[in-house]
Amino acid sequence: MASQRGALPERFNFAQHLLTLNAGRANKLAYRDDLHDLSYGELDLRVRGFAAGLLQLGLKPEQRILLVMHDTIDLPVAFLGALFAGVIPVPVNTLLPADNYAYMLKHSDAQLVIVSEALRSVVEEALTQTGRRVPMVIADKAHQTNNANIAFDTLLATPPLASDHCADTHADQFAFWLYSSGSTGQPKGTVHSHANLFWTAELYGKPVLGLREDDIVFSAAKLFFAYGLGNALTFPLSVGATTILMAERATAAAVFKRLTTERPSVFCGVPTLYVAMLASDLLPAREQVALRLCASAGESLPREIGEKFHAHFGSPILDGLGSTEMLHIFLSNRVDDLRYGATGKPVPGYRLALRDETGLAVASGEIGDLYIQGPSAALLYWTAREKTMATFQGSWVKSGDKYTMDAEGYYHYAGRSDDMLKVSGQYVSPIEVEAALMGHEAVLECAVVGKADEQGLIKTVAYVVLRDTSQSGAEMEATLKAFVKTRLTPHKYPREIVFATELPKTATGKIQRFKLRALDSTHAH
């Protein structure tokens, strides 16, 4: 860690760092969204203009601004402009109800909201709930304003700050927040530094993902998601690449449209999206796209999905594990060391440990709690001291994930700590059972949870979406149970299989197993 710190000056502003890196690329395309192109020169000018606009509005260093914005060229400008000015941007999920935004507005004490025109009404409702008067800047609709609101273009029209007049920030200073998904309560405001962004690019974006200046990058994961922020901002801008942004939801059809028309060379998705893409009738042929590499995170990528996608497109998928707390991927497969069904090996620059409930190291092959040490770790959870102390333990971060490591050093996902099952006195990983089910050609996707029977004993229940829903029934249930028994030890097979038309998911594509646990399985269809 000490040697890594030597690569960064103590006074460091990440936005200025990126602008300086790309000073010689003024005419190169930095971003393309559904309506606009933005060159590196224009990006530089807009970032400095937006920073000046924030300061002219009276924003002070380390005050928070909430970004409720779709993925358009305005979002990187707002995020980097805030960093340049020393103001803290807080990009948030664009699919939330007003109640969630009201909580985030109060929790962050946001002094300004930058909102896409299409999301204005839900944010106005949230502001009404808070009883606070917070100015709104309306993006994606030029010069749309009234007495209460400010047009995004108005801020951009402010005479830009000089290139060397960024906020004089420390590398470890608060730079931005990201909210966790909040699946177990209110979302946590995860506070990151300027240096954190730098290290994700230096340790993963360049050496593992291997991004180059001639790449065209497209991330289905949105910029408000830690994974998407790295994919579509930190990494491509750190090497001078071009990024495609998409405002709409990442359906298979929407992704195919960009893959075939914009022909990105690098694509970043999540497992549920790769499943949907392979199952779609619109799946393009290999020669219709220009992919050289794909990445996956958010959940463990099923081995069969990785292998099928690779075979179809000729492009490997690098499955990896990251988190909001670590900002991006710290455990990953590599192009020259690819093992589908495993999450790979630690990204150089990070240390990993597997520990039992007492904090002692587990033996090879045993399930343990995953701890990470690395320079991109967040500083804290805002106003959540107990949760901060439980997660950030000295130089180590407790991830909340369960993993095993095999004799060759590959890590295998066993599930979230809250999702682990103890059946017949033995741990069962729901991910392992799901992987076995996904090996059957009839299964499109699935999720496994534990439920107590009449005696209070935990049994495994599998929720399965079939490719052909007409096949659901007792015969298919028996077939799948028998199939799993051929792949796993007997006590791991699902005692009950519930056929569903779809599985509940978060906005970032993660399956919400806690919702399945709450269902009465007899009425889950």
Side-chain angles (χ1 to χ4, degrees), residues 199-214:
W199 286 119
T200 59
E202 292 302 305
L203 299 180
Y204 174 80
K206 295 177 184 178
V208 177
L209 200 55
L211 281 194
R212 310 185 303 243
E213 185 177 6
D214 61 350

Side-chain angles (χ1 to χ4, degrees), residues 216-411:
I216 299 174
V217 182
F218 172 44
S219 175
K222 302 298 186 182
L223 282 159
F224 65 75
F225 186 20
Y227 176 51
L229 182 66
N231 302 337
L233 189 149
T234 311
F235 303 161
L237 296 187
S238 291
V239 298
T242 295
T243 304
I244 305 301
L245 296 177
M246 177 176 73
E248 65 183 295
R249 292 191 71 167
T251 62
V255 168
F256 293 152
K257 178 181 176 182
R258 276 76 182 182
L259 292 183
T260 55
T261 58
E262 303 297 344
R263 295 178 65 81
S265 53
V266 176
F267 172 68
C268 306
V270 295
T272 50
L273 178 58
Y274 287 115
V275 169
M277 290 165 69
L278 287 172
S280 173
D281 293 336
L282 302 174
L283 185 70
R286 180 187 296 198
E287 57 271 17
Q288 291 179 271
V289 304
L291 293 173
R292 72 169 181 86
L293 183 66
C294 297
S296 180
E299 285 201 294
S300 183
L301 181 74
R303 178 173 59 83
E304 287 80 4
I305 297 302
E307 291 173 347
K308 288 177 183 176
F309 191 96
H310 195 159
H312 181 83
F313 286 113
S315 168
I317 302 178
L318 303 187
D319 187 25
L321 175 69
S323 68
T324 304
E325 290 77 9
M326 295 304 297
L327 189 55
H328 213 276
I329 290 172
F330 50 81
L331 173 65
S332 182
N333 281 273
R334 295 163 179 72
V335 173
D336 58 356
D337 191 6
L338 184 63
R339 182 165 296 194
Y340 289 119
T343 318
K345 295 180 179 179
V347 170
Y350 293 92
R351 291 179 61 200
L352 273 60
L354 296 180
R355 302 174 184 168
D356 63 18
E357 286 86 350
T358 67
L360 296 177
V362 301
S364 179
E366 289 187 4
I367 294 174
D369 291 305
L370 180 69
Y371 289 75
I372 313 103
Q373 187 183 76
S376 64
L379 303 173
L380 51 88
Y381 296 131
W382 190 255
T383 61
R385 182 171 172 79
E386 285 189 15
K387 289 179 180 177
T388 295
M389 293 173 68
T391 299
F392 303 97
Q393 302 181 9
S395 63
W396 292 90
V397 175
K398 186 177 182 181
S399 72
D401 295 298
K402 296 277 192 180
Y403 263 84
T404 62
M405 186 182 74
D406 65 25
E408 297 175 86
Y410 293 94
Y411 282 73

Side-chain angles (χ1 to χ4, degrees), residues 448-476:
V448 171
V449 298
K451 294 201 175 181
D453 63 12
E454 293 81 0
Q455 289 75 42
L457 299 174
I458 296 297
K459 304 295 183 186
T460 50
V461 178
Y463 289 82
V464 173
V465 179
L466 296 173
R467 294 181 187 279
D468 180 358
T469 55
S470 67
Q471 291 183 313
S472 62
E475 185 176 345
M476 178 56 74

Side-chain angles (χ1 to χ4, degrees), residues 14 62-65 67 78-80 82-83 86-91 171-179 189-198 200 223-226 229-230 233-234 324-328 376-380 382:
F14 185 72
E62 295 196 3
Q63 287 186 324
R64 275 77 64 190
I65 61 172
L67 310 184
F79 183 85
L80 293 173
L83 293 186
V87 173
I88 295 179
V90 186
D172 293 331
Q173 194 165 330
F174 294 174
F176 66 101
W177 295 13
L178 294 172
Y179 274 100
T190 310
V191 181
H192 279 284
S193 70
H194 286 267
N196 290 161
L197 291 159
F198 174 85
T200 59
L223 282 159
F224 65 75
F225 186 20
L229 182 66
L233 189 149
T234 311
T324 304
E325 290 77 9
M326 295 304 297
L327 189 55
H328 213 276
S376 64
L379 303 173
L380 51 88
W382 190 255

